Each structure stands twice: as structure tokens, then as C-alpha cells.
């Protein structure tokens, strides 16, 4: 009954909401216009789950139903309320599919992400196989679909934790309530994060080292803890599997990593880091797999991602070791001048992330007091923080670090509430879980949808972009307003969905005084013939909330543009306006230049030698790992492992020397 009331209160008031209601959002975003009954329904959903955790025995159907309905309620709000799919970068990724569909090839000169085309190639293949031509609904429901899929590998990972049912169901619940990072849109990151969860789950369930490796010196037993007696591992017993099954699972692990290496810049390095530290912490028996995966990601980066780093090595390694600068660019630099109300969204993100991580640390301590030694979960929660020493990732590294730390952190946070290995002791855990859920749900609605003023896509903005695409033969330039044309180069509009090689997007400095348009007109004239200037509501809201532009800046700007005799308005609606010069500038419209098709490799004698060494090296290291998990222990297996290791070393030396030579000569 409580669940039915919660769903009714949550969804029923939303039926009357439309674009007019969404236009009244303030700096807090979507939560500022949600009906009070909807907020009460969200609180009742949390209460229903807390009551289910209080029961004496698990009601799995009830828990699963409330969990899934909570995920749908929290993540489906924009899909239900907004006319167009949200988030500008999701629309831009449609341009990659359009390019592949028209040409069948990647274009590394157009965008650095073409050096990792795996996700786009897979999406375009599936779209053509299924006959999908309109991706509107794909973009709309992709985030919710991914959030639901994330739960499957998370529950698999929980099989490796020695804990009661309350702790495990609470961990999955906390994970769902912490999904405010916003990387689940149609993107390589959202998809490869699913692969990352599956990768870590398989590692912990089937490939943990149940005992110290052979040859490990024996240590004196630890003194029993004065409160809990002796300690036992926090991980459950390894799930039994035959040698053939383990070989298949190993192949799945390698396949997941290969797909991530071909699809995203960051995810494979987090996978490799987690695996390596698990091996060092004696929580994985795949001691040779880090070398194999390291060779695979190095081969992709060194050979197939050459257009990304060739001539731009500083962008790749410039932030290496600069932990303070990378943290600052990801956290403190994002809270600058802007709308005071909107700053609460940024502070709420910091508070929620810090609170979850603090609760995870408390979970490690409570497990220790309860008699358990945790190794695997702290590895999952801690290794992603090493990414701060790599680069700032365009100022988004903090979000990515928290995203990858979430599985381990949420399980540890749940163990802080239910630290014991059985459910005999319930205590105040369900009540504290209920209060935690209410805080996280409130924070979710603020942090997840706090940017909706400029992440929302409006129908008029789509119409403006369609006009540009209809007039981009042979090419066109589109100027848009930015507060920092050097660093802020991602507009808040549905850009790049078509004609990637034909339309060039050029940021121009947004004047604080909308009447001072001479630099804007000059930039439009310098852009050449067939150039347009767009003013849209989403970008104007981004300038207002993030850079402190005036409340009526957009209206005053459009009035000033309409008064300029050098400009004429070619499209106008309530959400966007497109302008061009009254007199066509001299010159010819340039032809599209997508550059050579990718992948592009500069072949030298060292490159040939490195590629010739990489293929047999990967095959040899793969065979070595298959032998390790599939062959019966004994003298013969040890001999084969030793022989394959020494055979791989010369190939590895040639491969590494080739990479060094390529980076030194092509950077």
C-alpha cells in the first residue's frame, strides 16, 4: 500500500507539467518546479525501502520492485517531462554515427574521440542492423536504460562480499541514489562504465586468490582483536567454477578490456589499475593479466590513437603528477562567479561526494571492529583517485574519479550501517539507512538535475540547428557565445548531430554589455562567407548561471542584434535566433576537409618492428593466462609458464622500444 501511494504521489502531479512550467526553473534546476506531491512521493519511496530493510527476513521481490521503481522515478523525469532529449554532448555523438553511416570511416582530424571509435562503430552497426534512423527515443531513454543495466553487474559483485542481505540490498540502493554524476548519457563513458562494473565483478567473484601464492613466506598470526576476536577476510568464498568455465570467463575479461580500450580514453586505465592493485593485495590470482592488458592498452594508444597525441603530447601528459592542479581544475575552479542559487548545486555535489566517501571510510573501520579485514573493496574505492595524478581531463576528473569509486564506496558505506557477516544483529541500521536515503534522494534531485536550465534541449534550438544543416553546402561556420572562447568550447545546444565535416563551430566572446557588438560583427565577418551567429536560450542560461551574466542578457542581446544594420535574422523563435551578415563577405566557401580516414599510423622501421612484436606478444601472453587458469597444477604447467615468460621478454623489449621511438619522434 505504501508503495502504491508513493508512486501515485510521484507521477500523477507530473501529468500537467509542460514547457511553460519548466521555463520557471531557477538556479536549483528541475527540483525547483517539481510539485510538492512528487517530492513527497520520492520520500515515501525511500521510506518503503527502509521499511523493507527492517523486516526480519528478506522480501527479495519487494526490495527489487522498490529499487527498480526508485531508479525509474529518479532518472526518467526529463524523459517524461521534456519535449526533446536532453544534454548537448549526446546530440553531438549522433554526428559520429552520421559520419560513419555516410562514409563508413572514422575521421581523426575532426575530433580526438575518433581515436577511440569502438562505441560509435558498435552503435552504428546495431542501428543499421535494426533499421533505426531516428535516434530521438534512443537519446531519451538511454540514461535510464544504462542505470538499470548497471545494477546487474553490481549485484554480481555483491556475491563476493561476506555480508548479510541487508548490507547487500542497502549497497545496491545507495549506488542507485548516488547516480547523479551524469555520465550515463549516450556516450562511450556511460557504456564503458558498464563494462568496468562487469570486469570488476568477474574479477572478484571468480578470480580471487583464496590463499597466498605459492612461495609466500609464512607470517606469524595476528593478535586477535580485543573487541572482535580473530579477523576473517571480508570477501566471501570464491564461487566454484571448472577449468573450462574459468577459461571462458578469462576470455570475457579480456574482451571487456579490449572493448574499453577501443572505446574510451580513461576506462581501460582504471580497469588496469584496479586489477594490478588487486594482484598486489593478493586478492586476484591472475598475476600475469596486468602485463597482458598493459600491452593491449599501450598498443592501442601508441599505434591506433596516434592522431590524438601526435604533436600534442603535452595535452596527454602535461598534467602528469600535478595532483593539486588537477584537483583544483575539477573542483574549486568550477565554483566561480555565477548565480548564487546555482552555486548551491555545486556545493551539494561536493557535500554528497564527501559524505559518501566519509561513510565508506567509517565502513572500513566498523568492519575491522566487527572482525573482518577488507582489501578488495578499499581497492575499488581508492584506486580511481590515482587518476588525479594523470591529468585534469578537461576539468572533469573529479566527477570521473567519484564515478569509478562508487561501487566500492557504496558497498563500504552499506557495511558501515550493517557491518556484520550475518543478519542476526539488526540494530539501528535500517533507521540510519532510511535517514541516509532521504538525504541522498534530496541531494540527487538537486545535483542530478541542477543544471537543467542549460542542459535541457528546447524545440526551437533544434529548429535553429536544422536551419544550419540545411544551409551548410559545401560548408558553414556557426559562431556561438562563450565567456571563455579558449577553454569553454562546448556550447549548450543540440550541436554537431549532422554533417560533422561541413559545419565548423567557433566560440566568440559574449559581451557583458549586449550593446557592444562590434567585436562580434567583426568575428562573423572574419569567419568568411556562409557563416552564421546563433543565440539560444540554453547557452544564455549557462552564461547567466555559471559566468554571472545578467538576468535579461539574452533579451537585450537579441534586441541589439536586430538593430544592427550589418546583420539580418534568418530564423527566430522563442528559444533561438540565427543571424547572418546582410552583405556576403568576399571569398570562396571552403570545401569540406575531413582529412584522411582513420585509423592513421605513421609507419617507420621501428613501427613495423613494434607492430610485428605486439601481435605475437599479445597472443603469447593470452595463451599464458589461459594456461594458468585452465591447466591442472603441476610441474608441467610451471615449466610452460616459465618458458612462455622468457619467450615474451624479447618481444616486450622490442615493443616498448618501438613505442618510445614513436613518442619521441612524433610528439
Amino acid at each position: 500500500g505504501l508503495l502504491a501511494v508513493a508512486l501515485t504521489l510521484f507521477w500523477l502531479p507530473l501529468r500537467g507539467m509542460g514547457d511553460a512550467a519548466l521555463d520557471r526553473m531557477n538556479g536549483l534546476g528541475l527540483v525547483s518546479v517539481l510539485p510538492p506531491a512528487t517530492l513527497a512521493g520520492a520520500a515515501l519511496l525511500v521510506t518503503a525501502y527502509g521499511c523493507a530493510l527492517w523486516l526480519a527476513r528478506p522480501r527479495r521481490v519487494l526490495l527489487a520492485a522498490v529499487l527498480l521503481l526508485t531508479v525509474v522515478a529518479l532518472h526518467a523525469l526529463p524523459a517524461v517531462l521534456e519535449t526533446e532529449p536532453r544534454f548537448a554532448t549526446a546530440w553531438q555523438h549522433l554526428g559520429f554515427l552520421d559520419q560513419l553511416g555516410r562514409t563508413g570511416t572514422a575521421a581523426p582530424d575532426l575530433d580526438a574521440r575518433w581515436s577511440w571509435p569502438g562505441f560509435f562503430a558498435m552503435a552504428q552497426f546495431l542501428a543499421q542492423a535494426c533499421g533505426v534512423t531516428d535516434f530521438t527515443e534512443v537519446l531519451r531513454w538511454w540514461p535510464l536504460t544504462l542505470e538499470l543495466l548497471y545494477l546487474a553487474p553490481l549485484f554480481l559483485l555483491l556475491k563476493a562480499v561476506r555480508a548479510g542481505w541487508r548490507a547487500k540490498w542497502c549497497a545496491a540502493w545507495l549506488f542507485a541514489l548516488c547516480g547523479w554524476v551524469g555520465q550515463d548519457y549516450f556516450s562511450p563513458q556511460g557504456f564503458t562504465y558498464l563494462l568496468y562494473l562487469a570486469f570488476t565483478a568477474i574479477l572478484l567473484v571468480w578470480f580471487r586468490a583464496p590463499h597466498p601464492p605459492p612461495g609466500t613466506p609464512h607470517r606469524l598470526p595476528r593478535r586477535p582483536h580485543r573487541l572482535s576476536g580473530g579477523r576473517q577476510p571480508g570477501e566471501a568464498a570464491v564461487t566454484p567454477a571448472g577449468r573450462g568455465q574459468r577459461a571462458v570467463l578469462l576470455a570475457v575479461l579480456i574482451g571487456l578490456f579490449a572493448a574499453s580500450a577501443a572505446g574510451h580514453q580513461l576506462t581501460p586505465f582504471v580497469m588496469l589499475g584496479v586489477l594490478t592493485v588487486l594482484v598486489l593485495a593478493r586478492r586476484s590470482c591472475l598475476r600475469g593479466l596486468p602485463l597482458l592488458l598493459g600491452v593491449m592498452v599501450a598498443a592501442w594508444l601508441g599505434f591506433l590513437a596516434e592522431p590524438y597525441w601526435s604533436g600534442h603530447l603535452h595535452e596527454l601528459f602535461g598534467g602528469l603528477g600535478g595532483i593539486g592542479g588537477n584537483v583544483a581544475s575539477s573542483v574549486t575552479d568550477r565554483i566561480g562567479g555565477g548565480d548564487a542559487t546555482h552555486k548551491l548545486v555545486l556545493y551539494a555535489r561536493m557535500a554528497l561526494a564527501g559524505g559518501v566517501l566519509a561513510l565508506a571510510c567509517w565502513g572500513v573501520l566498523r568492519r575491522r571492529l566487527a572482525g573482518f579485514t577488507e582489501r578488495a573493496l578499499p581497492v575499488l574505492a581508492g584506486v580511481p583517485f590515482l587518476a588525479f595524478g594523470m591529468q585534469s581531463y578537461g576539468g572533469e576528473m573529479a566527477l570521473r574519479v567519484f564515478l569509478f569509486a562508487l561501487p566500492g564506496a557504496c558497498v563500504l558505506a552499506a557495511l558501515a550501517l550493517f557491518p556484520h557477516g550475518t543478519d542476526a544483529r539488526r540494530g539501528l541500521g535500517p533507521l540510519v539507512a532510511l535517514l541516509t536515503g532521504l538525504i541522498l534522494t534530496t541531494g540527487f534531485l538537486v545535483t542530478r538535475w541542477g543544471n537543467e536550465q542549460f542542459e535541457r534541449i528546447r524545440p526551437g534550438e533544434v529548429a535553429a540547428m536544422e536551419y544550419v544543416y540545411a544551409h551548410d553546402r559545401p560548408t558553414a561556420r556557426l559562431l556561438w557565445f562563450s565567456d571563455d572562447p579558449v577553454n569553454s568550447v562546448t556550447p549548450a545546444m543540440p550541436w554537431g548531430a549532422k554533417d560533422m565535416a561541413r559545419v565548423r563551430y567557433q566560440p566568440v566572446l559574449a559581451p557583458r554589455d549586449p550593446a557592444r557588438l562590434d567585436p562580434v560583427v567583426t568575428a562573423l565577418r572574419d569567419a568568411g562567407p556562409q557563416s552564421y551567429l546563433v543565440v539560444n536560450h540554453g547557452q544564455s542560461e549557462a552564461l547567466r548561471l555559471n559566468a554571472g551574466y545578467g538576468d535579461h542578457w539574452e533579451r537585450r542581446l537579441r534586441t541589439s542584434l536586430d538593430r544592427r544594420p550589418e546583420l539580418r535574422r534568418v530564423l527566430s523563435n522563442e528559444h533561438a535566433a540565427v543571424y547572418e551578415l546582410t552583405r556576403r563577405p568576399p571569398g570562396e566557401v571552403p570545401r569540406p576537409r575531413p582529412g584522411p580516414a582513420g585509423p592513421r599510423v605513421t609507419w617507420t622501421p621501428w613501427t613495423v618492428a613494434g607492430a610485428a612484436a605486439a601481435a605475437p606478444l599479445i597472443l603469447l601472453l593470452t595463451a599464458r593466462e589461459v594456461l594458468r587458469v585452465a591447466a591442472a597444477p603441476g610441474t608441467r604447467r610451471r615449466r610452460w609458464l616459465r618458458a612462455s615468460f622468457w619467450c615474451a621478454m624479447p618481444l616486450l623489449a622490442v615493443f616498448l622500444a618501438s613505442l618510445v621511438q614513436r613518442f619521441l619522434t612524433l610528439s
Side-chain angles (χ1 to χ4, degrees):
L2 181 61
L3 181 58
V5 172
L7 294 175
T8 302
L9 284 175
F10 188 91
W11 289 111
L12 194 59
L14 300 180
R15 296 181 60 187
M17 290 188 63
D19 289 339
L22 295 177
D23 289 338
R24 294 194 297 268
M25 282 188 287
N26 61 22
L28 291 178
L30 189 58
V31 70
S32 64
V33 296
L34 290 179
T38 296
L39 301 179
L44 286 180
L45 279 174
V46 174
T47 304
Y49 204 87
C51 292
L53 292 176
W54 190 271
L55 298 175
R57 59 187 181 88
R59 302 290 181 90
R60 292 183 175 85
V61 174
L62 175 62
L63 287 164
V66 180
L67 178 62
L68 295 177
L69 290 172
T70 301
V71 172
V72 172
L74 294 179
H75 287 276
L77 280 172
V80 172
L81 296 177
E82 297 177 6
T83 306
E84 301 290 344
R86 66 184 302 278
F87 206 59
T89 306
W91 287 78
Q92 187 195 18
H93 288 163
L94 295 184
F96 288 76
L97 306 189
D98 175 72
Q99 174 73 14
L100 283 173
R102 288 186 295 101
T103 66
T105 61
D109 286 348
L110 295 180
D111 195 287
R113 283 164 289 187
W114 278 121
S115 294
W116 290 270
F119 169 77
F120 304 113
M122 178 208 68
Q124 179 61 23
F125 172 78
L126 293 177
Q128 290 183 342
C130 298
V132 176
T133 56
D134 184 1
F135 288 88
T136 301
E137 298 307 311
V138 175
L139 262 61
R140 185 186 305 277
W141 297 106
W142 183 270
L144 174 61
T145 303
L146 274 189
E147 291 293 338
L148 292 173
L149 290 176
Y150 290 159
L151 295 176
L154 182 69
F155 273 105
L156 178 60
L157 185 150
L158 290 171
K159 292 182 62 176
V161 181
R162 193 186 302 273
W165 66 268
R166 290 189 182 88
K168 294 183 178 182
W169 282 97
C170 183
W173 187 47
L174 295 180
F175 180 83
L177 297 181
C178 290
W180 51 262
V181 178
Q183 296 298 318
D184 50 11
Y185 61 95
F186 185 77
S187 67
Q189 174 68 97
F191 178 72
T192 55
Y193 185 63
L194 177 64
L195 304 185
Y196 166 76
L197 292 175
F199 181 86
T200 54
I202 293 173
L203 273 180
L204 293 182
V205 173
W206 284 286
F207 291 105
R208 269 184 293 110
H211 302 289
T216 302
H218 295 285
R219 297 180 179 179
L220 293 176
R222 294 180 176 178
R223 182 165 55 91
H225 195 269
R226 63 184 181 88
L227 295 180
S228 60
R231 295 197 187 96
Q232 54 182 325
E235 299 85 15
V238 177
T239 301
R243 293 174 188 149
Q245 292 174 313
R246 287 166 60 85
V248 172
L249 289 168
L250 176 64
V252 172
L253 279 179
I254 297 174
L256 291 173
F257 186 86
S260 297
H264 195 246
Q265 305 96 307
L266 182 61
T267 305
F269 288 99
V270 181
M271 285 181 170
L272 181 59
V274 167
L275 171 62
T276 302
V277 179
L278 284 175
V279 170
L280 295 176
R282 298 177 183 174
R283 282 301 184 266
S284 177
C285 60
L286 300 175
R287 291 168 297 179
L289 190 60
L291 178 59
L292 168 61
L293 302 189
V295 169
M296 291 173 62
V297 71
W300 186 279
L301 180 64
F303 293 100
L304 299 178
E306 176 189 321
Y308 170 68
W309 56 262
S310 179
H312 307 87
L313 203 62
H314 178 74
E315 297 178 8
L316 184 62
F317 298 112
L320 194 64
I323 298 178
N326 295 338
V327 172
S329 65
S330 300
V331 182
T332 57
D333 290 354
R334 286 178 168 257
I335 306 178
D339 183 75
T341 304
H342 185 66
K343 286 184 179 180
L344 296 177
V345 176
L346 306 178
Y347 287 124
R349 289 184 173 184
M350 296 173 60
L352 285 182
V356 171
L357 295 175
L359 192 58
C361 294
W362 178 239
V364 174
L365 179 59
R366 288 211 70 190
R367 286 284 277 182
R368 187 176 182 85
L369 295 175
F372 296 94
T373 300
E374 294 292 346
R375 290 190 187 179
L377 293 177
V379 168
L380 294 187
V383 166
F385 284 86
L386 299 177
F388 276 127
M390 297 171 59
Q391 57 173 297
S392 67
Y393 207 76
E396 292 188 355
M397 186 56 78
L399 287 175
R400 308 302 173 100
V401 165
F402 182 68
L403 178 70
F404 284 108
L406 264 182
C410 288
V411 179
L412 287 173
L415 293 175
L417 308 179
F418 306 98
H420 301 283
T422 64
D423 295 297
R425 300 172 62 180
R426 180 170 51 187
L428 296 176
L431 178 59
V432 180
L434 172 60
L435 296 176
T436 303
L438 289 172
I439 294 173
L440 291 178
T441 301
T442 304
F444 180 98
L445 292 173
V446 174
T447 56
R448 182 67 172 97
W449 312 122
N451 293 338
E452 208 60 17
Q453 280 280 60
F454 53 88
E455 291 184 349
R456 172 189 167 205
I457 301 298
R458 298 158 178 84
E461 296 171 333
V462 177
M465 289 307 308
E466 289 295 337
Y467 178 89
V468 175
Y469 300 140
H471 297 81
D472 64 358
R473 299 298 188 272
T475 60
R477 282 179 171 81
L478 183 63
L479 278 63
W480 56 277
F481 288 106
S482 170
D483 63 305
D484 184 358
V486 176
N487 299 309
S488 181
V489 293
T490 303
M493 61 183 179
W495 67 309
K498 297 179 184 178
D499 298 347
M500 178 179 284
R502 295 184 181 277
V503 183
R504 291 289 185 269
Y505 300 87
Q506 180 178 327
V508 60
L509 182 63
R512 293 280 177 176
D513 183 355
R516 298 184 177 181
L517 293 176
D518 289 341
V520 176
V521 174
T522 300
L524 186 59
R525 187 176 293 111
D526 293 342
Q530 203 145 299
S531 298
Y532 302 95
L533 173 69
V534 64
V535 181
N536 68 294
H537 195 58
Q539 184 62 28
S540 301
E541 287 297 293
L543 292 172
R544 182 178 69 85
L545 296 176
N546 296 327
Y549 282 65
D551 291 341
H552 305 290
W553 180 83
E554 180 187 0
R555 178 177 56 80
R556 293 172 56 201
L557 176 69
R558 290 178 65 165
T559 301
S560 299
L561 290 170
D562 290 337
R563 291 174 178 173
R564 296 289 298 214
E566 310 98 319
L567 302 176
R568 67 180 176 189
R569 188 175 54 197
V570 295
L571 179 139
S572 179
N573 55 55
E574 60 179 330
H575 301 133
V578 179
Y579 296 85
E580 68 176 0
L581 291 172
T582 306
R583 298 183 60 183
R584 181 186 178 96
E588 295 292 331
V589 180
R591 308 295 299 179
R593 296 179 180 178
R600 189 174 72 243
V601 181
T602 301
W603 292 101
T604 66
W606 271 105
T607 300
V608 173
L617 176 62
I618 292 174
L619 291 176
L620 183 59
L621 293 177
T622 302
R624 188 169 183 267
E625 291 309 301
V626 172
L627 181 67
R628 188 191 302 277
V629 302
T635 304
R636 179 176 297 179
R637 190 186 77 161
R638 288 196 297 271
R639 288 177 179 174
W640 277 106
L641 290 175
R642 188 180 301 112
S644 60
F645 175 79
W646 289 112
C647 289
M649 288 302 100
L651 296 173
L652 180 62
V654 174
F655 172 71
L656 293 177
S658 170
L659 288 182
V660 171
Q661 190 271 343
R662 284 177 59 77
F663 280 119
L664 291 178
T665 57
L666 299 179
S667 61

